[in-house]
Amino acid sequence: MKNSTRLLYLLVFVLAIAVTLAGINVNFFTDDPALYASIAKNMLYKQDVIQLFTYNQDWLDKPHFPFWMAFLSFKLFGVSVWAYRLPALFFFLLGALYTFLFARKYYDVKIAATAVLILMTAQYALMGNVDVRAEPYLLALIIGSIYHISNLQERFKVTDLLLAALLTACAIMTKGIFVIVAIYGSLLGQLIFKRKLNQLFSLKFIALYLLTLILVLPELYALYIQFDMHPEKLVFGRHHVSGIKWFLWDSQFGRFANSGPISQKSSGDVFFYVHTLLWAFAPWCLLFYFALYKRVRGIIKKQEQAEYYSLSGGILLLLLFSLSRFQLPFYTNAVFPLFAIILAPYCTMHLSTSETKIRAISQWLYILVFPVIILIVNYFLMPDRVILFYADVIALLVLILLIIIKSRMPQKVFLLNCCVVLFVNFYLNTILYKEVAGYNGQITAAQYANRADFAGFKIYSLKTQNNNFQFYCNKPVDYIPLEQFKSFAAPPNAVFYANQASLDYLTQTSAQFIIIKSFTNYPQERILPDFINKINRYKVLDKVYLIKKVEMQHFASLQNVIFRP
């Protein structure tokens, strides 16, 4: 790699980190990150890292590892949105490091650096660093496990054994046992294609399996303490729920069949991820499909490949996701490092004339379309932060000029693609996401409830989906089912958070309450065209409320009163 190209790669890498950090302090605008942050916050307030609670109720859905990481961050830096995102960003960068180490091992430095930039500019990888769930952790843990397993496969080393077991165990404690499909599936594919399948049950790998099982014991212990020891607890509407059984079976196979307590309305689409990757793995998806075709075709023709880990692990997990009836777009983030490694050689290698055209078209499509989309969005959004938009445009133009002058084909198109994605995501992180979060009524309601006037009040939520309110509220938030509001014996200092649908239900059922204050709210997680269009935005907004329950005898005289403590 020439010095000028190396410097451009380094510049894009630094800018990718800067764009990621630009979104670290954006307020939550979706529910799941706020839920996970609230659970970690409850760990801190309760001083209990074993049991998971939300709204002061037992919570059984995800394993503990991401919550332990967020808890440690809160412990060190205090409770905030950036402290919640910080450990996820650390793991994302760790995933980039392992991607580089793995690709350098089997290819060369240029391909390794290319794989890292692909990973760091994949659209949903960047979005997932703002809308943080479990995927940034899983991304690093899977590729890290595979890297150390590949070392272990070649020669035994205690550090590789320990790190492979530790990272695999942490991956299991992040998402469940299905992650071993990618981790051990990559090993299985490598051994099959290298005709060394007998190694699968060699002493070093048996030691790996046993050590991984031992390192997963903290998760099993935590679930046993919270659930298996307490069969009287009501979970998913029933008693005698085993947390260990849920972790090992129900949470995995129940979701796979979409038959568990947590399920989707849709029944799954085998082609869901084929079209989802067009934007989730943008701008690399089309070229990735081409690279995948070339790799599979090479294997069919019995051409020796540099390695089979990335293809085996990535495609096996993608097939599993595709066959599952519980499908979400961010699931694929975990195998983006493997996709990047499959793709990287084809971004810069010499290809035939027709293949070079395919590579160029697949990249120029995104290079041209992405900036146009942002220009259109900005035109209708009419944001107040115009200086950031102008800075974003100027930075892109400077980078384009620099790349045109300092690089050659095909690196030139590759780097232009990287920069266009960074342009898009800097806009998202500094303008669009903040615009959406600014209409999050849950946050403004929580900030109002944090006032000194409410110091002695008990706070309740009428839905379990009000997690932004729960996180931003400085005091514990309890949950009362909406249907039980009328019969609930509320203390005199009780305040309830209700969204528009909940308030409509209470009105229709003749519940007695008064409105303390209402707040403008954007109720969607998807960013709708009418929201982007500032002129039409009012059409997709509603209200959320802080309300107070009143007794029947006082209700008639208070019907038209707005309560202000």
Side-chain angles (χ1 to χ4, degrees), residues 1-9 406-408 415:
M1 186 183 294
K2 294 182 178 180
N3 286 336
S4 58
T5 305
R6 185 181 294 110
L7 288 173
L8 285 172
Y9 270 57
K406 295 290 186 181
S407 66
R408 296 181 179 180
L415 290 170

Side-chain angles (χ1 to χ4, degrees), residues 292-499:
L292 188 61
Y293 161 75
K294 291 283 287 183
R295 287 287 295 270
V296 172
R297 185 166 176 261
I299 291 173
I300 292 172
K301 289 188 171 184
K302 298 183 179 180
Q303 296 170 354
E304 186 72 16
Q305 305 294 309
E307 48 82 25
Y308 299 90
Y309 289 101
S310 55
L311 186 66
S312 302
I315 300 309
L316 276 174
L317 196 57
L318 184 63
L319 286 173
L320 183 68
F321 288 154
S322 298
L323 293 173
S324 170
R325 296 186 177 183
F326 191 95
Q327 297 169 328
L328 293 169
F330 49 81
Y331 281 3
T332 55
N333 286 30
V335 287
F336 278 1
L338 301 177
F339 290 176
I341 293 164
I342 293 170
L343 169 59
Y346 298 93
C347 289
T348 57
M349 71 187 297
H350 177 74
L351 298 173
S352 68
T353 303
S354 59
E355 290 174 340
T356 300
K357 288 180 180 179
I358 292 172
R359 177 169 64 189
I361 292 170
S362 67
Q363 294 190 80
W364 277 108
L365 178 66
Y366 288 104
I367 291 171
L368 296 174
V369 169
F370 269 17
V372 171
I373 291 174
I374 292 301
L375 292 174
I376 293 171
V377 167
N378 190 73
Y379 175 79
F380 287 102
L381 193 69
M382 292 184 279
D384 296 329
R385 306 175 184 88
V386 290
I387 190 170
L388 291 172
F389 172 69
Y390 292 140
D392 198 14
V393 171
I394 292 170
L396 177 62
L397 294 176
V398 170
L399 285 168
I400 289 173
L401 184 62
L402 194 61
I403 290 167
I404 290 173
I405 294 171
K406 295 290 186 181
S407 66
R408 296 181 179 180
M409 298 295 285
Q411 287 89 347
K412 186 178 295 184
V413 178
F414 171 75
L415 290 170
L416 285 174
N417 225 347
C418 292
C419 291
V420 163
V421 176
L422 296 181
F423 164 77
V424 169
N425 283 276
F426 183 79
Y427 184 87
L428 297 179
N429 289 352
T430 60
I431 297 176
L432 183 58
Y433 292 157
K434 288 187 177 182
E435 196 76 22
V436 176
Y439 285 86
N440 191 332
Q442 295 191 40
I443 297 175
T444 49
Q447 291 168 341
Y448 190 83
N450 290 337
R451 299 192 325 171
D453 313 51
F454 291 89
F457 279 64
K458 289 278 291 179
I459 309 295
Y460 296 89
S461 170
L462 298 177
K463 292 282 188 181
T464 57
Q465 293 81 18
N466 300 326
N467 290 300
N468 282 277
F469 178 77
Q470 180 184 194
F471 176 75
Y472 283 93
C473 203
N474 290 340
K475 52 176 72 67
V477 178
D478 288 303
Y479 166 64
I480 294 297
L482 179 63
E483 297 76 15
Q484 297 179 18
F485 178 83
K486 288 179 69 174
S487 61
F488 177 61
N493 61 345
V495 171
F496 300 82
Y497 172 85
N499 60 20

